[in-house]
Each structure stands twice: as C-alpha cells, then as structure tokens.
Amino acid sequence: MNADLSLAGRTAVVTGAGAGLGRAEALALAARGASVVVNDMGPAADDVAAEITKAGGRAVAVTGDVGDWAMGDALVSAAVDTFGSLDVVVNNAGVLHDRMLFNLSESDWDDVVRVHLKGHAAVSRAAAAHWRAASKAAGGPVYGRVINTASEAFLFGAAGQPNYSAAKAGIVALTLSTSAGLARYGVRANAICPRARTAMTEASFAAGTSPGGLDAMAPERVGTFVSYLASPASERISGQVFVVYGDMVALLAAPTVERKFTAADGVFTVAELGGQLTPYFEGRDPRRTYAAYSVAALDDTGTTQI
C-alpha cells in the first residue's frame, strides 16, 4: 500500500519562512501541493510567497513577530480566510543571542525565549483553538499537523546558549503537551532538531557533502522531512522528537531512569543520602550527566564545529 504523501488541498503556516530553514520548509510544502502562509518579520516573506506563486503554487505573506501573542490568531485567520482551511503548522521562527550565563543580559534571555518558545506557543494555541472548534463542528477528528523546531542544544545544554537551550527544551515539552491535548481532535504534533546551514547558524557548520551530492547541512534536507511529517502518511507519528540532517533522520528515545535510591525507613536523612549517593558518583565521568552527549555520535559529516 502506497503512503499518502500528497498535501494537495492542505494549507500550511510556516513561521520564520523568509529565509534559511523556514524558506526551505515552505518551498517543500508547496512542492507537495500545499497552500502556504509565509510568515517573517520583513519583506523576505513576500519574496518567498512570490517564489512559490511563480512556481505554480499558492501562497500569501503575513509579516509580523510571532512573539506577539495576537500573531498566532492572525496567521490562522490568514490561512482560513485565504485558502479555506488550516491543516499544518510549522513553527520555525527564532533568533540567537549567544552568551555564557555570566554574560547573559535580561534582554538576551527575553528576546530568545519570546521568539522561540512564546512564538511556538502563540501559533500553536491559535491553531489548537481552530482545530478544536472544527472538530466539534464536524463531530469527529479533523486533519492537523504541528511540527515544532527544537534543537540538539536542549540535549546538550550548550554552554554558550543558556537562553536558546532552555527555550528549545521548553519547545519539546510544549510539543508533548500539544500531542497529548489535541490527539482527540485529530492533531499530530512532533518536534525536530535540525542541523542546517543558514544565516543564523553558518558559524556552527563547515562545508561538506554527503551521499547524493547535496550539502550535508542543506536546509532542503530538513524541508523534505517536514513535508513528510505534514502528510497523511504520518498519521501514527505524534509526540516524537527527531534529529534531522545529512542523510539521516534519528528518532530519539524517551529518558530512562538510571538508578533509584530508596530510604531504608521511608524517609531519607542527610546522612543516608550521603551514604547512598556519594559513593555512587565517585569516579564518575564528569560528562556523564543528563546531557545526551551520545547523540553527538550520530554526526559523521565532519561539518559540526563544537
């Protein structure tokens, strides 16, 4: 049985779609037949919408900051009013203010968390309200896909990115909540941790290719996977986190319990905690923390500068 990969008749919202990863995602969705609401802060959104239209697709640009809560409603309305439906949300918009924690200013924190985490929440909330109402009106599940953009930074706790790492961890939790809360309405929600060479990340990735001849960090590789997650073929995929780059897609497993410490008499004393935990951690590799450094072993592209 062939998987249904078509997005014909579907409408997608892509945030931060004026360049880089978002642009690649918007173009990939359009290539599969979706009408696209292209969001970004400036005129680049119009350029990408025009690019899609010129190629024979349908698109409209909506300029604005997803960190403004009302922008979520504006994007949903643009999808429904212009194309008649909302089927896919790709939350991609973000900014970087990389600092070590001791150099982090309040604005460095607020700007990154506002655009990444609040931006994801604003658009997801508006879409959720739309799909819930549509499901109630239809008397059953409707079609909905949410694809959120996390990062391996949430797995590693990047030392120079406390704001970005925290926002991306929050996005993963938001994705799980979205998946759990909207499943009954037909919505599937997943998070991707992409590596792509864009204007925002070019300092992190060196040039390189992998099988197929396409740059290992080409954003088009991520766009292909996003167009799959947006399709009917992904019906049974929800609440998942994927690492995506080069020639691979890696599905992450949920955290596991390494060791359970139990009080002998039902209530720990400080002395008993010291007796159980201190010996357990003696001689432990300092890199053996909650950070998932093992995920870095996936990289065989030779392009990552970390």
Side-chain angles (χ1 to χ4, degrees), residues 14-37:
V14 184
T15 69
L21 192 56
R23 173 182 171 274
E25 291 165 339
L27 294 176
L29 292 166
R32 303 302 306 173
S35 301
V36 185
V37 178

Side-chain angles (χ1 to χ4, degrees), residues 90-254:
V90 181
N91 285 308
N92 166 74
V95 296
L96 286 179
H97 294 308
D98 290 354
R99 304 284 188 274
M100 296 296 288
L101 185 58
F102 41 76
N103 288 327
L104 189 70
S105 70
E106 184 175 8
S107 64
D108 291 332
W109 174 268
D110 287 348
D111 289 349
V112 168
V113 171
R114 181 182 62 83
V115 177
H116 285 277
L117 184 53
K118 185 180 178 183
H120 272 62
V123 181
S124 295
R125 185 219 63 82
H130 168 79
W131 283 322
R132 179 173 180 263
S135 177
K136 288 190 172 184
V142 295
Y143 190 96
R145 298 287 188 271
V146 177
I147 299 137
N148 289 334
T149 308
S151 167
E152 290 166 280
F154 102 89
L155 296 167
F156 305 146
Q161 298 180 311
N163 45 4
Y164 181 76
S165 299
K168 292 306 190 181
I171 286 168
V172 171
L174 174 64
T175 304
L176 297 178
S177 182
T178 302
S179 173
L182 301 185
R184 71 183 72 177
Y185 306 118
V187 179
R188 307 294 178 254
N190 296 284
I192 61 172
C193 300
R195 292 191 190 183
R197 185 177 297 102
T198 67
M200 191 171 80
T201 64
E202 61 186 357
S204 299
F205 301 122
T209 60
S210 60
L214 189 65
D215 187 323
M217 296 298 151
E220 289 79 8
R221 294 179 179 274
V222 180
T224 299
F225 185 55
V226 165
S227 69
Y228 165 73
L229 284 181
S231 76
S234 69
E235 170 66 20
R236 297 183 64 84
I237 304 174
S238 195
Q240 307 296 336
V241 180
F242 298 90
V243 176
V244 187
Y245 62 88
D247 60 358
M248 63 112 216
V249 171
L251 173 64
L252 298 185

